[in-house]
Amino acid sequence: MKVAIIHYWLVNMRGGEKMLEALLEMFGEADIYTHVYNPKAVSKLISSKRVFTSRINRLPFAKKLYQLYMPLMPKALMDFNLQDYDLIISSEAGPAKGVVPNPNAYHLCYCHSPMRYLWDMYHEYFSGTNFFVRFFMKKLIPSLRIWDITSANLVDRFVTNSNYVAKRIRRYYNREAEVVYGPAPIEQYLNVIRNPQDYYLFFGQLTGYKRADIAIEACIKSNRKLIIAGGGASKKEIRKYANNSLITFKGRVSNEEVCSLFAGAKALIFPGIEDLGLVPIEAQAAGCPVIAYRDGGALETVKENITGLFFNEQTPASLISAMDYFENELKFNNREVFNEHVLQFSKTAFLERIKRVINERKKI
């Protein structure tokens, strides 16, 4: 069986790229097709494969400005001649599923998320950009939405990472999607020895929808220490809290530092809404409880009052109430429960489910 994997772009190593790595372990001879490729920004496993790029890769500064070229990507998918492949796996978070396989091929789409800039986060992206970009968004988004819906018809079967995303696939594409969790790199955290210290942890890219501001304000108002780990913090943000002894910006951290932070944190604070969210899974694999906003993928990754708890409003006051309850009423000392819970998100579980889904194509 000849396999092609279409991945939206390869310019960093995040959750989508970790999934691609797992698929490459299953299909070692698979070819990769993508819009933009930066070999220096991906793992050795990915860079060791044959990677084909669309015309987007040849545009000026494509490796940094790739998202601005998104309106050109649907047509650029026509660059990919997939007629010799038996199995097509599209990895969709940017334009990827709109390829045209041969009539006898099977097209499985792992949809990490219907494109946020077209659908549920359109207004947030629109308001957060400049006049020039907004002008073109108004012109281009309607036709991109039509293409996005139409290209869903080229997919034989959808799978996705959470029930939260499956509902959006049903809403936008009128298609059902099977939930296949993972693959989260839980193995590296299962042996972390917990030694909670006097701080909470926020971990991840400091983009707006992750709502680090809620965690910061809640900790300042309640006189609690917060460590913020991950890239994306602006110099202005760092200067704003530079003289506040409660808030510490760590920036990007190594894997060893991540383990240490999970080991020492009272809990991970997760105030944003994400499709699934790997960070809460990794924290729980390390035995670190999670205090999450009650929405999105966290409802599936956090086991309430067993591996964490929820707060009901995206406000500092609601988070403070949850932190008070966490400190005064709850104990999270059963590591076996944490380990058992996160196994469903492991790479092993992911590969087993994907293999089952692919084998079921013979029955369709």
Side-chain angles (χ1 to χ4, degrees), residues 200-234:
Y200 287 88
L201 176 65
F202 177 95
F203 181 57
Q205 286 289 115
L206 293 183
T207 52
Y209 71 91
K210 292 183 182 287
R211 298 307 306 270
D213 59 303
I214 295 175
I216 291 171
E217 294 304 317
C219 287
I220 290 175
K221 289 180 179 180
S222 62
N223 198 37
R224 290 176 166 104
K225 292 181 180 179
L226 176 69
I227 292 179
I228 300 171
S234 68

Side-chain angles (χ1 to χ4, degrees), residues 84-205:
D84 293 335
Y85 294 94
D86 307 298
L87 174 63
I88 311 296
I89 303 176
S90 56
S91 173
E92 169 94 346
K97 69 182 183 302
V99 293
V100 181
N102 75 66
N104 297 316
Y106 186 77
H107 183 181
L108 176 70
C109 177
Y110 193 103
C111 184
H112 305 275
S113 171
M115 286 183 280
R116 288 179 171 273
Y117 8 81
L118 298 188
W119 302 108
D120 55 307
M121 292 189 69
Y122 165 76
H123 293 288
E124 183 172 331
Y125 281 100
F126 184 83
S127 62
T129 190
N130 58 52
F131 171 82
F132 181 77
V133 175
R134 288 198 296 270
F135 174 81
F136 282 99
M137 286 182 73
K138 285 183 177 180
K139 297 289 185 183
L140 297 171
I141 291 299
S143 59
L144 285 171
R145 285 176 175 168
I146 293 172
W147 173 87
D148 194 36
I149 294 170
T150 304
S151 64
N153 293 321
L154 299 171
V155 174
D156 291 299
R157 190 169 182 179
F158 278 94
V159 292
T160 190
N161 53 26
S162 69
N163 287 295
Y164 178 69
V165 176
K167 290 178 182 177
R168 287 159 54 212
I169 291 172
R170 189 179 306 118
R171 164 69 69 181
Y172 304 136
Y173 304 151
N174 196 29
R175 296 287 300 274
E176 296 299 318
E178 180 171 348
V179 175
V180 177
Y181 292 132
I186 64 171
E187 292 78 12
Q188 66 192 75
Y189 302 110
L190 294 175
N191 294 322
V192 169
I193 299 174
R194 286 278 292 160
N195 182 26
Q197 306 296 313
D198 185 27
Y199 68 87
Y200 287 88
L201 176 65
F202 177 95
F203 181 57
Q205 286 289 115

Side-chain angles (χ1 to χ4, degrees), residues 49-79:
K49 304 300 179 181
R50 291 205 306 172
V51 180
F52 301 91
T53 60
S54 75
R55 67 190 75 167
I56 305 299
N57 198 59
R58 300 190 294 272
L59 296 176
F61 308 106
K63 293 178 177 62
K64 291 186 177 180
L65 302 180
Y66 54 94
Q67 288 181 319
L68 293 180
Y69 292 127
M70 196 217 21
L72 305 178
M73 291 181 183
K75 286 187 178 179
L77 289 170
M78 296 173 65
D79 293 348

Side-chain angles (χ1 to χ4, degrees), residues 201-347:
L201 176 65
F202 177 95
F203 181 57
Q205 286 289 115
L206 293 183
T207 52
Y209 71 91
K210 292 183 182 287
R211 298 307 306 270
D213 59 303
I214 295 175
I216 291 171
E217 294 304 317
C219 287
I220 290 175
K221 289 180 179 180
S222 62
N223 198 37
R224 290 176 166 104
K225 292 181 180 179
L226 176 69
I227 292 179
I228 300 171
S234 68
K235 293 181 179 179
K236 182 179 178 181
E237 286 176 309
I238 295 173
R239 285 197 301 267
K240 181 178 178 181
Y241 300 104
N243 296 322
N244 194 314
S245 61
L246 294 172
I247 309 300
T248 302
F249 287 88
K250 286 281 189 179
R252 298 184 185 278
V253 292
S254 66
N255 288 336
E256 292 76 15
E257 290 176 296
V258 173
C259 290
S260 178
L261 289 170
F262 283 152
K266 287 182 178 180
L268 174 79
I269 298 177
F270 194 71
I273 303 174
E274 296 209 25
D275 302 324
L276 183 68
L278 288 180
V279 172
I281 298 170
E282 293 169 351
Q284 290 168 97
C288 180
V290 178
I291 303 176
Y293 174 54
R294 194 187 293 275
D295 203 348
L299 292 172
E300 299 170 60
T301 60
V302 179
K303 200 169 184 178
E304 188 166 19
N305 295 331
I306 304 297
T307 64
L309 69 156
F310 297 101
F311 59 101
N312 298 320
E313 298 176 3
Q314 279 185 308
T315 63
S318 183
L319 175 54
I320 290 170
S321 295
M323 295 164 81
D324 289 341
Y325 181 69
F326 166 76
E327 293 179 2
N328 297 325
E329 304 292 337
L330 297 176
K331 302 293 182 184
F332 296 92
N333 299 323
N334 191 339
R335 187 63 178 272
E336 290 183 7
V337 171
F338 278 77
N339 291 351
E340 182 180 347
H341 172 63
V342 298
L343 285 177
Q344 64 184 310
F345 306 106
S346 68
K347 181 169 68 175

